[in-house]
């Protein structure tokens, strides 16, 4: 059982994503457990303040250390000791080898989602790793956290079912992307009359030939 706790100012964003499809199934079969921690609950004062202006001047607001620290402590009380990942465009770029290592490890994870201009740097005292989902900047860490959770959970035993899809699939061995696949109908005619056909070989029933075709038509990830 892999446990995740997400610290966020937008807990509702996770309800749909973690409550449906494969993430829902993962919880159902006990492969994964999700806890959403509302950072606002750890805000300071009657207005539950979570952000503040920057010492030394500068635009925008930073997430304050006290609510973040308290939320991490709370997350640890929910799932026990865990690796703390901070969602940040400054972090290590998330990739399939990291996904595989995380899925195979016995680690549980606390994911901290940022907002506004950033965090009080002292949060680093509890962070094990900063993780980025790519070289672009998003408005918050929620989509990155969902991406990281989804990528790990789909590899947990039992989640994808008997399809052994995770094994044959894109990225599972190096950069080899999967081959093109088709389902019925054999011919799809577009409104303008163009006929889009399933490659003949796939209808032939020649397993060896089909395997060869698939091998030849597996694409490599473009640089
Ligand atoms: N927060 C904002 N942009 C991000 C990114 N690219 N990866 C992770 N967290 C982020």
């Amino acid at each position: 059982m892999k446990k995740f706790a997400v610290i966020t100012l937008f807990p509702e964003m996770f309800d749909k994503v973690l409550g449906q499809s494969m993430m829902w199934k993962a919880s159902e079969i006990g492969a994964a457990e999700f806890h959403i921690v509302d950072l606002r609950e750890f805000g300071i004062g009657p207005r539950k303040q979570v952000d503040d202006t920057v010492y030394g001047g500068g635009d925008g607001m930073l997430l304050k250390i006290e609510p973040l620290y308290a939320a991490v402590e709370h997350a640890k009380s929910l799932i026990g000791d865990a690796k703390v990942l901070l969602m940040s465009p400054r972090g290590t770029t998330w990739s399939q080898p990291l996904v595989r290592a995380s899925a195979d490890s016995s680690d549980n994870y606390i994911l901290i989602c940022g907002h506004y201009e950033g965090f009080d740097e002292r949060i680093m005292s509890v962070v094990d790793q900063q993780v980025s989902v790519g070289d672009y900047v998003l408005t918050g860490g929620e989509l990155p956290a969902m991406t990281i959770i989804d990528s790990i959970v789909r590899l947990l035993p039992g989640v994808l079912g008997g399809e052994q899809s995770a094994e044959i699939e894109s990225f599972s061995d190096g950069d080899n992307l999967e081959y093109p696949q088709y389902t019925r109908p054999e011919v799809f005619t577009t409104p303008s009359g163009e006929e889009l056909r399933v490659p003949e070989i796939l209808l032939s029933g020649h397993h060896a030939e089909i395997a060869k075709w698939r091998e030849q038509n597996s694409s490599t990830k473009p640089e």
Side-chain angles (χ1 to χ4, degrees), residues 41-109:
E41 287 179 14
F42 300 90
I44 295 169
R47 293 183 51 241
K48 298 277 178 200
Q49 187 185 356
V50 292
D51 60 336
D52 213 333
T53 52
V54 185
Y55 273 126
D59 286 340
M61 306 286 271
L62 299 181
L63 289 176
K64 294 168 71 62
I65 182 65
E66 307 97 309
L68 281 169
Y69 198 95
V72 170
E73 292 285 289
H74 178 67
K76 286 187 172 166
S77 78
L78 294 173
I79 67 169
D81 198 28
K83 271 194 133 171
V84 179
L85 307 182
L86 180 70
M87 304 302 102
S88 163
R90 288 188 291 176
T92 309
T93 305
W94 196 237
S95 64
Q96 197 63 19
L98 295 177
V99 174
R100 168 68 63 191
S102 306
D104 288 346
S105 80
S106 56
D107 292 336
N108 294 320
Y109 292 95

Side-chain angles (χ1 to χ4, degrees), residues 7 65 68-69 72 76 82-88 90-91 110-113 119-131:
I7 297 171
I65 182 65
L68 281 169
Y69 198 95
V72 170
K76 286 187 172 166
K83 271 194 133 171
V84 179
L85 307 182
L86 180 70
M87 304 302 102
S88 163
R90 288 188 291 176
I110 294 168
L111 297 89
I112 306 175
C113 305
F119 311 85
D120 184 308
E121 193 66 20
R122 287 168 287 185
I123 191 60
M124 294 310 162
S125 63
V126 295
V127 168
D128 294 303
Q129 200 180 0
Q130 294 190 65
V131 181

Side-chain angles (χ1 to χ4, degrees), residues 14-36:
F14 289 86
D15 296 344
K16 282 268 159 55
V17 171
L18 299 180
Q20 291 184 81
S21 186
M22 289 309 184
M23 299 305 110
W24 172 83
K25 183 182 168 192
S27 319
E28 279 293 299
I29 66 173
E33 190 178 286
F34 307 117
H35 298 265
I36 307 302

